[in-house]
Amino acid sequence: APPAAAPPAAAPPPDDTWRATTTPLETTDLPVHVAVWRDDLAALTSLIAAKADVHRANHKGITPLFTACRHGHEACARAVLAEGASVDARSNGGLTAMQNAAARGHLSCVQLLSAHSADRGGNAPQRYAAHFGHHHIVTWLQRSQFWTTPLHHADIIDRKTAYDLLRGGASISVRAREVMAPSPLDVARE
């Protein structure tokens, strides 16, 4: 009998197999960026506890907050914001986390950034959201355009933050920039 043929050599995996297990981020970015990109809050929390730099941008000027908001990873965004991440940092391309979240349709991140007083830059987030068809974000940005204090965002900020603001003397009656703009109390009544 002829000898048994050797099994065929395994074909190399398609390029997408590599993408499923790794990302270019892992070869160029810091561990904080990778944890945020993967939406790995446990790893991010450990890195923060180990004093990892949550403010440092990568070679493209992208911060961990930008990455979290780009992918809609609200819990990671909250974690880096709690460490004082800059809400208005710009990538090398000139985009902010707010603009990126609006363009990608991540309302929860847009709201979170707004609650942290992110600059709306002449309605740029609203224009990005409209361009990409995220009308729910356009509607929310229009509704909240005059909300200027964290208490205007009481349904977005955590309970402890709201409590601390009120204990610290924040007013629920303060009017926003415009005379006819709602107070936090007005917003709560809506």
Side-chain angles (χ1 to χ4, degrees):
D15 285 343
D16 288 345
T17 301
W18 175 80
R19 286 190 179 97
T21 58
T22 189
T23 170
L25 281 174
E26 294 180 40
T27 61
T28 60
D29 282 336
L30 304 167
V32 172
H33 288 81
V34 175
V36 169
W37 179 81
R38 289 182 169 170
D39 199 17
D40 189 343
L41 187 58
L44 178 59
T45 302
S46 294
L47 289 164
I48 289 171
K51 305 294 184 207
D53 187 356
V54 299
H55 311 286
R56 187 168 171 199
N58 69 9
H59 65 285
K60 293 181 180 180
I62 294 172
T63 64
L65 178 61
F66 187 98
T67 298
C69 292
R70 176 184 186 138
H71 297 289
H73 299 161
E74 181 187 353
C76 289
R78 283 184 186 278
V80 295
L81 283 167
E83 295 299 310
S86 172
V87 294
D88 294 324
R90 292 185 179 272
S91 69
N92 292 351
L95 290 178
T96 65
M98 170 80 92
Q99 293 165 346
N100 203 338
R104 291 182 175 256
H106 301 302
L107 179 60
S108 64
C109 289
V110 169
Q111 292 171 326
L112 179 64
L113 293 165
S114 181
H116 283 83
S117 302
D119 181 15
R120 294 186 182 197
N123 291 326
Q126 189 171 321
R127 289 193 310 272
Y128 279 108
H131 177 79
F132 290 103
H134 303 300
H135 302 292
H136 62 294
I137 292 178
V138 173
T139 300
W140 188 86
L141 287 168
Q142 289 172 338
R143 187 176 137 245
S144 65
Q145 68 183 329
F146 299 117
W147 298 1
T148 56
T149 72
L151 285 178
H152 279 97
H153 302 84
D155 61 333
I156 298 161
I157 61 175
D158 62 80
R159 197 173 239 164
K160 180 186 179 315
T161 300
Y163 179 74
D164 290 346
L165 288 167
L166 291 168
R167 281 192 73 197
S171 173
I172 59 171
S173 301
V174 67
R175 296 283 173 188
R177 294 181 192 116
E178 305 296 321
V179 175
M180 297 304 294
S183 70
L185 186 57
D186 296 332
V187 170
R189 288 180 181 151
E190 288 181 359

